[in-house]
Amino acid sequence: MTAGGRRALALLLAHSALTQVVTFVLRPASAYRALELDVPAAWLGALTASFAVVPLLLAVPSGQATDRFGERRVLLAGAVLVLASAALFATGRGGAAGLVAASVVLGTGHLLSVVGQQAAVANTAGPGRFDTAFGHYTFAASLGQALGPALITAVGGSGTLPDTRPVFLVAAGFAVALLACTAVLRLPARAAAAGAAERGGMGTLLRLPGLLRALTVSCIVLAAVDITLVYLPALGADRGLAAGFVGLLLTLRAVASMTSRFFLGRLVALLGRRRLMLTSVLLSAASMAAVAAPLPPAALVALVVLLGLGLGVGQPLTMSWLAEVAPAGLRGRAMSLRLTGNRLGQVLLPSTVGLLAAGVGSAGVLWATAGALALAGAAARRLAVDGGTGA
């Protein structure tokens, strides 16, 4: 890889971390602000949904825009919208409706940033380096997601309801840094990318062998991560575990996922993509099922670490596989298609397992999720990801 390519990848990693820091400051801070305003429960639901619904509707068009106009323009548009959302939150105007509007802007800016980042990583890393590049990319994103909530406590105080105005201002400062990072980002020219985009389209991607299996693995793994964030605390409450211990479990899960992502390139070199994907998904399924069983705290700690190691692999591996099999001029659309599948999985899987396991509590939800991960393992077993072709 050239020096320019390495510099571009380094800036993309910083861009990813900054995007997630701003997002993971603004989203919880907006919820605290809504509580300050005593908004009705319906508005809280709208605030949560407004961030996710817009990306679901605009994911594929954003991928098309990335392939047509280039990643840098899409990244600039995303950074501007993220900064605009932070400014809207900081003004405090419009009450609950203003919070929802700002959340819509944030969700759109976050979407454009993520699609642009993933397409840029795919087009910059080059064949043979996709696994390492996407492992480091997702590591940077996870780091930003961990730092964001910590800033709320550092700036807003440790009270039940933090002071949100300085939090919003700090988020705006990080958004300015994001825009500056985007402004200095220079991506390598993409020869023949426009021609590939003209010749192909979404139909070309949908005909890729193994695409549905890869998207299935990706969405189930991501939904399983979301489920652990909600149902590990619920399981702890059911079994009388201290909130601090449950928080430690969630932190260990996140750190373990970051570790497997950071070393993803070496793990692929050691095991191969197919074996690593299958092993990671089945490890996640077995660990999730075991966590739901009555166990002493030390065993829970060990199992949650294994769970995090397994869950950390699925996302970057499916990204690297898509980057390898998708034509250069269609990688923005390929990444946006993966994001669409992920969002659907985040909506459908938690609600489905919740209904199936309604009679057996949080442990039942975790067991049902383990079953879904086992199905993802079956899909991974039939996905020929080592050579970039599907079975």
Side-chain angles (χ1 to χ4, degrees):
M1 184 186 298
T2 65
R6 287 192 294 270
R7 180 175 182 273
L9 276 176
L11 283 172
L12 283 169
L13 297 184
H15 197 283
S16 172
L18 286 169
T19 300
Q20 300 301 334
V21 166
V22 176
T23 302
F24 276 71
V25 169
L26 288 177
R27 291 198 70 193
S30 66
Y32 283 126
R33 178 60 179 157
L35 294 174
E36 290 174 2
L37 297 174
D38 294 322
V39 302
W43 277 106
L44 281 176
L47 181 62
T48 302
S50 60
F51 178 86
V53 169
V54 173
L56 184 60
L57 297 176
L58 296 183
V60 171
S62 69
Q64 293 171 331
T66 301
D67 290 329
R68 182 172 182 181
F69 302 111
E71 299 93 341
R72 189 167 181 271
R73 293 183 181 181
V74 172
L75 289 171
L76 280 170
V80 168
L81 288 176
V82 169
L83 178 56
S85 70
L88 288 172
F89 280 123
T91 62
R93 295 179 180 176
L99 290 175
V100 170
S103 182
V104 168
V105 176
L106 176 63
T108 307
H110 180 269
L111 168 71
L112 294 174
S113 297
V114 169
V115 170
Q117 289 162 6
Q118 293 178 8
V121 170
N123 287 317
T124 302
R129 288 191 53 84
F130 289 136
D131 298 304
T132 297
F134 278 108
H136 290 172
Y137 167 76
T138 51
F139 172 86
S142 298
L143 182 62
Q145 292 170 8
L147 291 176
L151 284 173
I152 295 178
T153 301
V155 177
S158 57
T160 304
L161 289 178
D163 186 357
T164 55
R165 181 164 176 75
V167 173
F168 288 141
L169 292 175
V170 167
F174 276 94
V176 170
L178 174 66
L179 185 58
C181 181
T182 313
V184 300
L185 180 63
R186 294 292 181 270
L187 298 171
R190 296 180 299 154
E198 291 296 327
R199 292 192 302 271
M202 195 59 70
T204 301
L205 294 174
L206 293 174
R207 288 192 294 270
L208 290 174
L211 178 70
L212 183 59
R213 293 190 185 101
L215 296 183
T216 299
V217 172
S218 180
C219 78
I220 290 178
V221 169
L222 185 61
V225 173
D226 283 357
I227 286 169
T228 63
L229 294 177
V230 176
Y231 285 99
L232 271 182
L235 183 73
D238 290 343
R239 296 183 178 166
L241 299 175
F245 178 71
V246 174
L248 173 64
L249 292 179
L250 291 173
T251 300
L252 289 173
R253 200 279 310 160
V255 170
S257 291
M258 291 170 66
T259 302
S260 61
R261 288 173 170 181
F262 187 81
F263 294 105
L264 185 67
R266 296 183 186 180
L267 291 172
V268 169
L270 180 65
L271 299 175
R273 276 195 204 145
R274 182 206 291 269
R275 187 178 297 173
L276 178 59
M277 183 176 286
L278 179 60
T279 301
S280 67
V281 173
L282 293 181
L283 176 64
S284 301
S287 302
M288 183 80 77
V291 162
L295 293 170
L300 276 179
V301 167
L303 286 168
V304 165
V305 169
L306 292 176
L307 178 64
L309 290 172
L311 290 177
V313 169
Q315 296 299 307
L317 264 190
T318 52
M319 287 182 201
S320 63
W321 179 80
L322 272 176
E324 187 170 284
V325 301
L330 296 176
R331 284 173 178 156
R333 267 167 272 201
M335 297 303 167
S336 68
L337 191 62
R338 192 191 70 86
L339 286 171
T340 301
N342 283 352
R343 291 295 181 268
L344 285 173
Q346 285 178 294
V347 172
L348 296 177
L349 185 60
S351 56
T352 301
V353 298
L355 288 174
L356 291 175
V360 285
S362 54
V365 172
L366 295 177
W367 280 323
T369 305
L373 285 167
L375 292 177
R381 184 177 61 84
R382 301 183 61 190
L383 180 63
V385 292
D386 287 306
T389 58

